[in-house]
Amino acid sequence: MTERSIHHSTIVIERTYDASPSRVFAAWSTREALLRWGNPGDGWDLAYDHFDFRVGGGDINRFGPRGGPTFRNETTYFDIVPDVRIVSASSMTSERKHIFASLITAEFILAGKGCRLIVTEQGAFLDGHDKRANHEAGWSEMLDKLRIELLRTQVAA
Amino acid sequence: MTERSIHHSTIVIERTYDASPSRVFAAWSTREALLRWGNPGDGWDLAYDHFDFRVGGGDINRFGPRGGPTFRNETTYFDIVPDVRIVSASSMTSERKHIFASLITAEFILAGKGCRLIVTEQGAFLDGHDKRANHEAGWSEMLDKLRIELLRTQVAA
């Protein structure tokens, strides 16, 4: 029998990018961009089974280390203000176990000519299957890759 | 133009009831019971447009003071462990404005012959349309009415 527990924890992570809020928002709102930067593990696989970026819509993705455990994340979009913010809720499972649920807000704030991004993940870790340190590392990895994505799209523009 | 802001806040509210975790869980999982106790305002109206209590399902309700503003709440159920816990996310609108979003966990813990209920609401208040004190008062009102609901169903049993 599974030992049931819930551990609540809020992660706030910030980055400032040399790109407009509009460009940073765009990287959060298209499947193609997210496939390039939205993977919490270095060298992990990431695929979308469903992608519907609109209020009331949502997406489903799967990710994880090759040959290792697969995580499935299902997101519902609650509020989207273009170039300003995204509010969503997510539920994560692994091997059919619910391991994590969260409310995530991303705020895109004009800072000089760039963008200050504030990500707040208000999470509930379930039954000890996942932990805060994994998520801090995952967000850090993703937001570093987002910097590279923004450089890439700047060169392409 | 709306001044955009997000204020994050976590509310934890506890009650101990003279009823089994199973009976308290039941009051959270049926529309009929929720209509009796799940209204955050004293004397307010409450109606469900949709009710589907299962993982991946959700419900939609409307509530508010008679003749006053109407609030619309849309909930998605992420994890349900019968008699043990409910994990859900909710989005609230009023007059088509998004005013609040949250992750809510309810934990039903055996305490003697009774139940200790812990409700944790990890919320994001949007654009100053709503505030923490309203939610603290709302949960307090609901969980007091839940005590009456549990007495009622005890007498009926």
Side-chain angles (χ1 to χ4, degrees), chain B residues 43-116:
Chain B
W44 286 13
D45 289 324
L46 170 66
Y48 278 89
D49 294 334
H50 181 73
F51 190 86
D52 186 15
F53 182 77
R54 61 176 176 86
V55 173
D59 54 59
I60 299 170
N61 66 34
R62 284 172 289 114
F63 59 93
R66 208 158 295 181
T70 299
F71 303 96
R72 182 182 186 276
N73 198 62
E74 189 161 350
T75 294
T76 301
Y77 293 105
F78 281 156
D79 185 45
I80 297 171
V81 181
D83 306 342
V84 174
R85 76 175 172 222
I86 300 167
V87 180
S88 65
S90 290
S91 170
M92 200 181 293
T93 54
S94 182
E95 295 167 359
R96 292 168 188 265
K97 289 190 188 85
H98 289 101
I99 64 172
F100 180 71
S102 65
L103 187 79
I104 297 171
T105 65
E107 298 169 83
F108 308 90
I109 300 160
L110 187 65
K113 290 183 178 175
C115 176
R116 184 168 148 241

Side-chain angles (χ1 to χ4, degrees), chain A residues 14-17 19-22 24-25 83-85 106-119, chain B residues 4-6:
Chain A
E14 294 197 22
R15 291 283 192 282
T16 300
Y17 298 108
S20 65
S22 170
V24 184
F25 176 86
D83 307 341
V84 174
R85 76 176 172 221
E107 298 169 83
F108 309 89
I109 300 160
L110 187 65
K113 290 182 178 174
C115 176
R116 185 168 148 240
L117 170 68
I118 308 173
V119 177
Chain B
R4 301 298 183 176
S5 67
I6 303 182

Side-chain angles (χ1 to χ4, degrees), chain A residues 58-84:
Chain A
D59 55 58
I60 299 171
N61 67 34
R62 285 172 288 113
F63 59 92
R66 207 157 297 181
T70 300
F71 303 96
R72 181 182 186 277
N73 198 61
E74 190 161 349
T75 294
T76 301
Y77 293 105
F78 282 155
D79 185 47
I80 297 171
V81 181
D83 307 341
V84 174

